[in-house]
Structure formats: C-alpha cells, structure tokens
Amino acid sequence: MSNVTFTIDGREVSGRAGQTILKAAEASGIYIPRLCAYKNLVPHGSCRVCSVRVNGRIQAACVQTISDGMVVENDSAEIREFRTAILDMLFVEGNHYCMFCEKSGLCELQALAYRFGITAPQYPFLNPDRPVDLSHPDVYLDHNRCILCGRCVRVSQELDHKNVFQFVDRGYRKRLQVNGEALAATRLAVTDEVTASCPTGALMRKRVGYAVPIGQRPFDAQPIGAGNLQTEDSP
Ligand code: SF4
Ligand code: FES
C-alpha cells in the first residue's frame, strides 16, 4: 500500500493510504485525544474531542483520512481550547463526582480533564435527574455518568452482535436506552466486550470496581496519552 507523507504540528509523519489521521498519528507516537473512538470499531466522529485543524479546516481526526502534503495542527492553543470547551460541556451536562467514582484513575473523561488542566468547568452545572439501572446481576448502568459517546451502542452491535443499547430522542433530550425493560431483560453478559468499553463509570461490571486500589491505576501513574490508553489497533 502506498505511503503518504504529511505533517502534524510541523513534524513529518508517514502513513498508509486510507489510514485516518488518528491512526497514522498514533503509529508515529503522536497522541490525539479521543472519546468515542474505540479499538476495532468503525470510527464514528461524534464526540469531536479528536478535532484537529487540517489545511485550515477543523476536522475529526478519527474519521478524516490522510493525504500527501496535508498540514495538521493537533496541539495548538486554539485546538486545546476547543477540546477543553467540549470536555467542560460533558462535565456540566451530567453528574460526574470523580472523587466518589469507582472508575477514578481509569476514566478517560477524568484523565482528559487532568490533561487539559480542567479543575472546574467554565459553564454552570445542569445537575440532571437521571436513573441508575442496577437490575442486572453483574453489570450496572449509571446514566449520571453517561456522556453519550455511543461506544456501548456500537460495541454491542458490531462486536458483541447483541444490540443491547440504542439512543433515543435528539438534541438535549438525547439519551441512552436499553433495548428491553432494563439491563436484566437483555442478553447482556458480563463477558461481553461492551462491559469493558465505556470510557467513564457509566457502564460498569459489579463487584470489581476496587479490584485495583485507587492510586495504583493507569491514569494515577501517568497522563492519558502517555502509553496507557487503549490503542486504535484495528487494521
Ligand atoms: Fe458512552 Fe458509556 Fe454512555 Fe455508553 S454508557 S454512551 S459507552 S458513556
Ligand atoms: Fe473522533 Fe470522537 S474520537 S469524534
């Protein structure tokens, strides 16, 4: 397959024709933040955290393919500000009490907030009233922590072939729904890939939340993007 050469923040990078910017960057050791992208899933381009400026235009790095001579800005002040605003909105739109959450240190949203220096969001909290589904014996779904990234919807469909989740409504009413009365009424099994795919503490396996003590978790040791993130390793 032909080689494509382009630049990211002034550094020359090579990739394969047809590769996305995100994957070509990662193969060259350059981290581009992401939330909805997940290994072995077809990229979706919904969260926009991976936004980069490409030849002057803002594009989602997880879906935009590379081309010869392309000029990509990934770590500029403008792009950092753009991503920070997206993360801020995700925090205020839900109920994210990181200090009390068993996903702390493993949560990609929390880790991105640390990476971008977010100590308090710049927007007012919406404090929505959302349910928690504890019906399943081995897995729970806490809508308070859901950022509507869609990973679970796609992993359940594309990798587990079960279609346990879907989105309903649009705009600010959009929410995640279980395809059944509750989680217990679905074909979800604790061994399904989907139970490990959620970037936050929204979809969690029960009774293993503290198997690794807080303080010894990947993002406690080093920032997200420093070699401890799930990689975009699909062919
Ligand atoms: Fe994303 Fe998790 Fe919400 Fe599913 S439950 S949409 S994986 S945040
Ligand atoms: Fe690219 Fe979400 S990771 S849009």
Side-chain angles (χ1 to χ4, degrees), residues 105-146:
L106 291 163
C107 173
E108 294 174 40
L109 179 67
Q110 179 197 42
L112 282 170
Y114 282 131
R115 184 179 176 105
F116 285 90
I118 297 172
T119 48
Q122 56 187 308
Y123 309 113
F125 287 99
L126 298 180
N127 301 124
D129 184 9
R130 293 193 184 156
V132 181
D133 183 343
L134 294 165
S135 63
H136 194 282
D138 301 314
V139 182
Y140 71 83
L141 176 60
D142 185 344
H143 290 271
N144 294 285
R145 303 168 181 164
C146 178

Side-chain angles (χ1 to χ4, degrees), residues 166-183:
Q166 65 171 340
F167 284 132
V168 291
D169 279 341
R170 288 168 181 270
Y172 74 94
R173 287 202 177 86
K174 183 176 174 180
R175 65 190 192 282
L176 183 67
Q177 192 174 68
V178 171
N179 283 320
E181 295 269 305
L183 273 185

